[in-house]
Amino acid sequence: AYAQVTYYRAPLLAAARFNAIGSQLILTFDQATSGTGAISCAASLQPNSTLGTSPSCTWSSPTTLTVALGAGATVLPAAAITWVGIGLKSANLASFSAGNSSTLLLRSAYAEPPTLMVVGSNEIGTCDVAKIQVFSTSPRPLTYRWGCRSHPDLNANFSSETSDTLMVAGHALTPQTPYQITVSAESFLGGISDEAIHYLTVLDAPPPLLSIEMPPAPYARPADIWVNAAAQYSA
């Protein structure tokens, strides 16, 4: 006598990849699973300390778990991601519960370029300092590249700056001469923005200075963003 037996293997984590802007991880299993709805990231994935504050994990299909990274996430490509959740089975519930399984986190096949907005004074006096800031919708800090198209010496000085803020002293510039200050940014996934240009001129007659303040990134949709503007007399 004999009997035909069908064996259903427990699911395994097969692949993990960032989305195009680095705000999510897309985890793919090797078969349709019993996973549905939202689950606890802390109880399901290791290491969860790199996923940021209050990440969310949701089954977007029986084979795909989407991880929305929280603020302050530090997880990087090539990191090992391990499924440690309890009770995950094959879609027909015939398998044993899945054990731990790991894979290396890959970059997105396409890294979306960051979008930049440059804010700062366009006209200052000789005794003033222009504060030029860059804002972006990127969920992670960016690496910035500053330059000056119109003046090679300034271009060399600015090229060492990598933060989102550039301070330019008026006394270092020639009055009544327009300066084309450039900035671009690169994300941790390798996406490179278009170059943005900010025009700055030192006037013989110092103008009032207008400053615009915005909350720090990241910015979430559809949350409101409040912007404050203030004017002061030039030194």
Side-chain angles (χ1 to χ4, degrees):
Y2 70 92
Q4 184 174 350
V5 177
T6 302
Y7 172 72
Y8 291 93
R9 179 174 51 78
L12 294 172
L13 179 60
R17 186 182 297 274
F18 280 100
N19 68 344
I21 62 172
S23 63
Q24 295 180 340
L25 308 182
I26 311 301
L27 276 54
T28 305
F29 288 76
D30 66 346
Q31 60 177 284
T33 72
S34 60
T36 59
I39 61 174
S40 167
C41 293
S44 304
L45 298 174
Q46 291 288 346
N48 56 62
S49 60
T50 62
L51 304 182
T53 304
S54 302
S56 64
C57 292
T58 306
W59 288 98
S60 50
S61 78
T63 60
T64 304
L65 180 69
T66 299
V67 182
L69 299 173
T74 57
V75 64
L76 294 172
I81 300 294
T82 302
W83 168 263
V84 296
I86 298 174
L88 184 68
K89 297 183 177 182
S90 59
N92 61 5
L93 304 179
S95 74
F96 290 108
S97 294
N100 294 1
S101 56
S102 300
T103 189
L104 296 182
L105 182 57
L106 302 177
R107 298 174 182 269
S108 170
Y110 166 74
E112 184 172 318
T115 300
L116 305 183
M117 180 177 68
V118 183
V119 176
S121 300
N122 295 109
E123 297 176 339
I124 60 173
T126 303
C127 298
D128 299 321
V129 176
K131 181 179 181 181
I132 304 172
Q133 289 181 284
V134 186
F135 297 91
S136 171
T137 56
S138 173
R140 297 275 193 102
L142 301 172
T143 300
Y144 294 93
R145 297 185 181 90
W146 294 89
C148 183
R149 283 187 179 178
S150 49
H151 293 76
D153 290 343
L154 277 181
N155 186 69
N157 291 338
F158 293 165
S159 64
S160 62
E161 301 291 338
T162 59
S163 73
D164 61 359
T165 302
L166 181 70
M167 309 296 288
V168 184
H171 65 77
L173 308 181
T174 302
Q176 302 302 132
T177 301
Y179 289 81
Q180 299 180 38
I181 297 173
T182 63
V183 62
S184 61
E186 182 175 357
S187 72
F188 76 103
L189 292 178
I192 299 176
S193 73
D194 292 334
E195 187 176 72
I197 301 176
H198 184 81
Y199 294 93
L200 180 63
T201 301
V202 175
L203 300 182
D204 290 329
L209 299 179
L210 179 66
S211 61
I212 299 176
E213 297 181 354
M214 295 180 63
Y219 307 111
R221 298 171 180 163
D224 293 333
I225 299 175
W226 293 94
V227 180
N228 294 322
Q232 66 183 55
Y233 286 104
S234 170

